[in-house]
Amino acid sequence: MRFLLSLLIVSAVFALKAQNMILPQPKFITVDTTHYVNFGKALFTYNDAATHRLIESLNTNSHGLEVHRFRNSPSSGIRINANLFLHPKYDKKELDYDNYTLDIQAEAIHIYYTNEASAYMAFQSLLQLLKTNAQKDILLPLTHINDYPDFEWRGLHLDCSRHFFSTQEIKRFLNTMAYYKFNKFHWHLTDDQGWRIELKKYPELTSVGAYRDSTKIGHFNEFEKGYEKQRYGGYYTQKQVQEIVAYAAKLHIEVIPEIEMPGHARAALAAFPELGCSQEQLPVASTWGIFNEVFCSKKQSLNFLKDVIEEVAPLFPSNYFHIGGDEAPSIQREHCKHCQKTIKKHHLHNEHEVQGYILKEMNAHLKKHNKTLIGWDEIIESGLPDNCAVMSWRGMQGGKQAAEQKHPVVMSPTTYCYFDYYQSDNPNEPLAIGGYLPLEKVYQFTPIPQDLDTQYHAYILGGQANLWTEYIADFDHLMYMTYPRALALAEKVWNKNAPSYEDFLHKVLFYQLPYLDTQNINYSKAIADANFVLSSDSMGTVAVHVENQNPLLPTITNFRNISTSSKTDFQLHLPEHKVQDTIYLSSFAEGMEDRKKEITLYLSQSTGCKIDSLTPPHPKFNNGGSFTLVNGVYGRRPWNGSDWLGFSGDTITVIFDLLEQRELTQLELSCLKAEGSWIYLPEHISVFGANDKNAFEEVESRAIHKEISEIPLANNYRYIKLVIAPKDKIPQGNEGAGQNPWTFIDEIIITWN
């Protein structure tokens, strides 16, 4: 049984929060939940040619609530009273373009709207207010809403290259998007692992490029697991593409295609190797990551890409055409005579600028189709084409830079918007690419950077979440990774001043998750997970607070090897005669044993040690700050970002204060090796000791060759300083070659006599 359907919601709480039932939150709303109006079995509106298309749209995804058009005929003797009145061209200068007003009165429903999209959004708000009785009558509370979105781009992205989704599955995905007023569907159709759209001129793109002969088993970093030797793939015919685009249009969702260029091209180059720099015949990629194969800058390759645009652009009415532009290595261009000729002919400075040249050619061609080129933020580095748009994924700085150059920007940073990241640190979570993005973190997103001058705010179109599908193989898993995190995004791309997280959580628990249940959507229940919040006020101790985001479900906590009467707060101490001790905890919300979380605490003498100084970790991987290094919990492998501190190319310095001089015996350092994710072991560690913080002396120095390094010590010091040197660059031939690797560190244990 789905857990939320079993909850008893008391009427007093229901009435208290009634204004917050709609998601995203309307700008102005009053709801009287003490008075529901019975509108019978259906809604009736007058037969008006001007609203014919709108009524068809309203009935596309109406959850059983039908709107009927009628015209009374005196000769029939039958008279129907309208109970839904649509008021088009509701146009006042002070109103935003997508403004709507929804009035549910005792006699009828009135929708005032500035365009059909805003009328459709009004209807989605109405659906969220809807209840039915035992006779299936329509019950709606007396309501007045005036509403409009603060951002014009409210999007979700779906990668159909790594894993393929049927047209019916995409329609279901769009239905849920529409219910929460998303209006942009970014359809990722080509990549290294599969070409997914039919081209009449180049049938080899689908006969060859749409299928790979095997697929990586497990995580990219788990090299020993090998491959599933089974042909995998599929593609959309142009007729199916048109079907999806037309269906989305009825939901007032714009579909933006993405055709990757010049990188992520292995599937296309498997069909036409002569279009690449190396011209090497390679298969469609069967593993994940970044590949060196890219489209060449020669005329033959450019003409091919223009031909692709010629066929694809007319299938999509959107003004935007996404060309990718990300993760396109330049190494093969160094030895490509055609690219070297391009550099010389067009006075380019280096191989990297060849990408800028290619994209400017594509930009000019897209303009002939009245399309605006949009690409990932790497296109800034190779020179932005004129009048293009930027989708900022590597943080918000690229988007800020583009906005300051007066380019339209969609914010989609990994920190808040990558829904292929883990959403819980529960060890039972399905395999994901890595990272850590819980619901609350998504809700901290705001599309406009705080340090962006107000004169450039208008260039921020909005925000979008991305669903890359290397580890998402089916529709149920897709929806699990999308919801409820997409609800947080829906709120933040609709409202600059969104409700508090507490209010948001309330409407999710009481209204939105029950709705997802009715739609048989396999959403994540991470919201019911109990969280272990660790702290320490003295060495050798850890305070554990068990909290649960869901106030309706009591938390049950068990200790395997200690006894306690408390259910939520515990103080753990290292026994005096021990150097280390191990304690096992498990916790789950009542009725949710399948979401049980377990944690093993390794108490040591230095657990909770004071850290005087630490090189700042990267903001994306700084969960828990310096305490993460001494909290008694080892980072998990395979990793997710909640357990580790991550550093990007920085030498890491840490200073520990042991409070008094100690006779040291050993130092243990835990690091992560996950080279497929660009995470490398550090090159070297130096250990310094001091009894005066101004007079450190080196006591040990060694290379690091394994994830857990044990370093013997035989000195008396109060202060210990570690200097951890990262690997300089990722080696050639490896994923991310030439880039700065990540260094991830976690538990550091110091012992003494």
Side-chain angles (χ1 to χ4, degrees):
M1 179 183 293
R2 294 176 182 264
F3 77 97
L4 281 163
L5 292 182
S6 66
L7 299 178
L8 297 176
I9 303 175
V10 295
S11 59
V13 176
F14 183 93
L16 179 66
K17 296 289 187 177
Q19 309 301 326
N20 292 332
M21 66 177 70
I22 295 176
L23 194 153
Q25 178 72 18
K27 296 293 188 296
F28 178 83
I29 176 172
T30 58
V31 180
D32 181 3
T33 54
T34 65
H35 190 165
Y36 274 80
V37 181
N38 189 324
F39 286 98
K41 305 296 183 186
L43 298 180
F44 294 90
T45 191
Y46 289 116
N47 189 4
D48 182 345
T51 60
H52 175 79
R53 186 176 62 182
L54 174 58
I55 301 303
E56 183 182 0
S57 170
L58 298 185
N59 284 326
T60 300
N61 185 35
S62 62
H63 307 291
L65 174 59
E66 289 192 57
V67 179
H68 297 285
R69 297 183 303 123
F70 73 95
R71 179 180 288 115
N72 283 320
S73 172
S75 61
S76 68
I78 300 174
R79 182 169 183 82
I80 299 174
N81 292 321
N83 55 11
L84 173 64
F85 293 89
L86 301 171
H87 305 277
K89 299 181 180 178
Y90 177 52
D91 189 12
K92 293 183 179 179
K93 289 183 179 180
E94 69 270 18
L95 296 181
D96 290 76
Y97 179 64
D98 284 335
N99 187 289
Y100 72 85
T101 297
L102 171 64
D103 267 321
I104 302 174
Q105 301 174 2
E107 299 80 19
I109 301 164
H110 295 267
I111 294 177
Y112 303 85
Y113 58 96
T114 53
N115 55 36
E116 289 188 3
S118 61
Y120 184 82
M121 290 185 287
F123 198 69
Q124 302 315 299
S125 294
L126 182 150
L127 290 175
Q128 292 195 37
L129 295 167
L130 175 67
K131 294 174 67 176
T132 57
N133 59 17
Q135 292 74 41
K136 304 297 183 183
D137 291 331
I138 299 165
L139 305 178
L140 290 165
L142 296 177
T143 303
H144 177 78
I145 295 174
N146 180 244
D147 198 16
Y148 56 89
D150 286 332
F151 295 100
E152 64 179 272
W153 192 296
R154 307 181 301 280
L156 292 180
H157 152 288
L158 178 59
D159 166 18
C160 290
S161 175
R162 276 54 176 259
H163 281 100
F164 183 75
F165 297 90
S166 70
T167 56
Q168 287 305 114
E169 288 171 333
I170 291 175
K171 287 179 181 179
R172 285 192 65 195
F173 190 77
L174 293 169
N175 286 343
T176 314
M177 284 180 62
Y179 189 75
Y180 294 111
K181 303 185 178 78
F182 286 105
N183 69 341
K184 298 287 192 290
F185 175 54
H186 175 173
W187 198 1
H188 188 82
L189 288 164
T190 72
D191 215 296
D192 299 298
Q193 294 78 16
W195 183 282
R196 302 292 180 222
I197 183 169
E198 174 192 29
L199 264 73
K200 307 287 189 184
K201 188 170 184 176
Y202 298 104
E204 296 90 344
L205 285 171
T206 46
S207 64
V208 175
Y211 298 91
R212 55 181 182 259
D213 61 10
S214 59
T215 300
K216 180 76 181 71
I217 297 173
H219 197 276
F220 181 86
N221 294 310
E222 298 174 302
F223 303 108
E224 71 283 357
K225 290 192 175 181
Y227 295 83
E228 181 182 2
K229 298 292 185 179
Q230 182 175 341
R231 189 170 186 254
Y232 180 90
Y235 65 93
Y236 306 100
T237 65
Q238 292 191 11
K239 183 178 179 181
Q240 288 174 318
V241 168
Q242 290 170 322
E243 177 188 338
I244 290 292
V245 170
Y247 185 81
K250 290 182 179 180
L251 305 177
H252 296 276
I253 294 174
E254 180 181 332
V255 183
I256 298 93
E258 181 178 0
I259 305 295
E260 279 274 14
M261 60 182 81
H264 286 292
R266 271 282 294 272
L269 295 178
F272 299 104
E274 66 274 15
L275 301 179
C277 288
S278 71
Q279 301 188 36
E280 182 181 1
Q281 179 68 66
L282 293 169
V284 175
S286 56
T287 188
W288 323 123
I290 301 171
F291 298 88
N292 288 328
E293 290 72 36
V294 294
F295 285 113
C296 180
S297 62
K298 62 186 176 183
K299 187 174 182 179
Q300 181 186 7
S301 301
L302 297 183
N303 286 342
F304 167 82
L305 293 173
K306 290 175 182 178
D307 287 343
V308 170
I309 290 172
E310 283 292 322
E311 277 201 57
V312 174
L315 300 174
F316 295 89
S318 172
N319 292 327
Y320 290 97
F321 193 105
H322 204 300
I323 51 74
D326 62 313
E327 299 176 331
S330 299
I331 186 169
Q332 289 193 352
R333 302 198 191 282
E334 296 173 8
H335 308 288
C336 173
K337 64 180 182 181
H338 301 288
C339 290
Q340 292 302 313
K341 183 179 177 181
T342 298
I343 291 171
K344 185 175 181 180
K345 180 178 179 180
H346 296 281
H347 309 291
L348 306 179
H349 294 93
N350 51 46
E351 287 78 13
H352 191 61
E353 290 188 4
V354 174
Q355 170 165 317
Y357 163 74
I358 293 173
L359 296 186
K360 286 171 183 174
E361 287 286 308
M362 296 306 111
N363 188 46
H365 197 68
L366 283 166
K367 284 181 179 178
K368 296 177 182 178
H369 292 272
N370 297 314
K371 302 290 186 184
T372 297
L373 181 149
I374 183 170
W376 302 108
D377 57 59
E378 284 95 330
I379 69 174
I380 299 171
E381 298 165 2
S382 57
L384 282 174
D386 294 338
N387 303 313
C388 72
V390 171
M391 191 167 277
S392 190
W393 73 278
R394 297 177 301 172
M396 300 180 76
Q397 189 60 34
K400 176 176 179 286
Q401 182 182 345
E404 289 170 343
Q405 297 177 35
K406 300 185 178 181
H407 287 272
V409 171
V410 178
M411 288 295 187
S412 189
T414 57
T415 314
Y416 304 102
C417 297
Y418 266 48
F419 287 4
D420 56 334
Y421 284 11
Y422 284 102
Q423 56 195 310
S424 167
D425 57 4
N426 192 312
N428 298 316
E429 281 292 290
L431 181 66
I433 193 169
Y436 181 59
L437 183 55
L439 182 68
E440 187 172 7
K441 181 71 172 180
V442 178
Y443 204 72
Q444 294 170 12
F445 175 57
T446 179
I448 299 178
Q450 290 184 347
D451 58 347
L452 180 65
D453 193 287
T454 55
Q455 66 177 311
Y456 302 115
H457 283 195
Y459 293 98
I460 306 298
L461 303 182
Q464 172 181 293
N466 298 329
L467 285 136
W468 301 103
T469 61
E470 289 94 333
Y471 303 97
I472 303 174
D474 58 59
F475 185 75
D476 274 352
H477 192 181
L478 173 67
M479 299 307 273
Y480 180 92
M481 300 301 283
T482 308
Y483 293 94
R485 288 188 290 189
L487 305 183
L489 182 71
E491 194 73 80
K492 299 308 290 265
V493 294
W494 186 270
N495 287 306
K496 290 179 181 177
N497 298 307
S500 68
Y501 182 69
E502 179 186 14
D503 283 349
F504 162 76
L505 199 59
H506 180 276
K507 77 171 73 175
V508 168
L509 289 169
F510 282 84
Y511 303 107
Q512 303 309 329
L513 296 190
Y515 163 75
L516 296 178
D517 279 335
T518 67
Q519 302 303 301
N520 295 314
I521 289 172
N522 182 44
Y523 58 86
S524 168
K525 299 179 180 65
I527 197 171
D529 285 356
N531 293 320
F532 297 107
V533 181
L534 307 179
S535 61
S536 178
D537 57 10
S538 61
M539 284 198 301
T541 70
V542 171
V544 182
H545 172 66
V546 184
E547 65 178 16
N548 180 3
Q549 291 190 80
N550 188 340
L552 305 175
L553 298 176
T555 297
I556 298 171
T557 304
N558 297 311
F559 286 83
R560 192 189 306 174
N561 55 341
I562 65 172
S563 60
T564 176
S565 59
S566 174
K567 295 293 184 184
T568 58
D569 291 280
F570 317 91
Q571 187 77 25
L572 308 177
H573 300 269
L574 180 69
E576 287 187 17
H577 63 283
K578 288 189 175 183
V579 175
Q580 292 187 346
D581 197 13
T582 305
I583 297 170
Y584 305 93
L585 302 84
S586 67
S587 188
F588 56 90
E590 186 175 338
M592 294 292 293
E593 287 85 351
D594 61 326
R595 297 293 309 182
K596 180 188 290 187
K597 287 176 65 173
E598 297 179 320
I599 187 173
T600 302
L601 282 169
Y602 297 91
L603 282 179
S604 72
Q605 292 168 303
S606 60
T607 299
C609 177
K610 181 183 178 185
I611 295 179
D612 274 356
S613 177
L614 171 67
T615 301
H618 191 282
K620 188 162 63 172
F621 300 112
N622 188 21
N623 191 49
S626 62
F627 182 61
T628 299
L629 302 178
V630 291
N631 65 359
V633 180
Y634 282 94
R636 276 164 294 179
R637 301 165 175 88
W639 70 284
N640 73 40
S642 67
D643 295 335
W644 299 87
L645 297 185
F647 302 82
S648 179
D650 299 316
T651 295
I652 305 162
T653 301
V654 194
I655 298 177
F656 297 88
D657 182 356
L658 305 180
L659 301 182
E660 62 183 64
Q661 188 171 317
R662 311 281 185 178
E663 185 182 345
L664 304 177
T665 57
Q666 181 175 278
L667 182 142
E668 180 185 291
L669 170 67
S670 177
C671 303
L672 180 64
K673 181 180 180 181
E675 294 180 358
S677 299
W678 300 18
I679 302 170
Y680 279 72
L681 293 177
E683 286 278 8
H684 189 270
I685 181 173
S686 297
V687 183
F688 300 82
N691 290 309
D692 177 347
K693 279 197 292 187
N694 297 315
F696 278 101
E697 57 188 18
E698 185 173 299
V699 296
E700 184 65 47
S701 182
R702 62 173 60 188
I704 296 177
H705 300 294
K706 55 185 181 179
E707 289 189 308
I708 296 180
S709 300
E710 296 174 343
I711 303 172
L713 300 175
N715 312 86
N716 295 334
Y717 292 114
R718 171 178 173 174
Y719 300 101
I720 295 294
K721 179 169 75 171
L722 307 183
V723 178
I724 303 168
K727 194 173 190 66
D728 182 37
K729 296 290 181 184
I730 296 177
Q732 291 299 324
N734 290 21
E735 181 76 19
Q739 303 294 319
N740 288 329
W742 289 93
T743 304
F744 275 34
I745 64 173
D746 179 38
E747 202 65 12
I748 299 174
I749 295 175
I750 304 170
T751 57
W752 54 83
N753 290 323

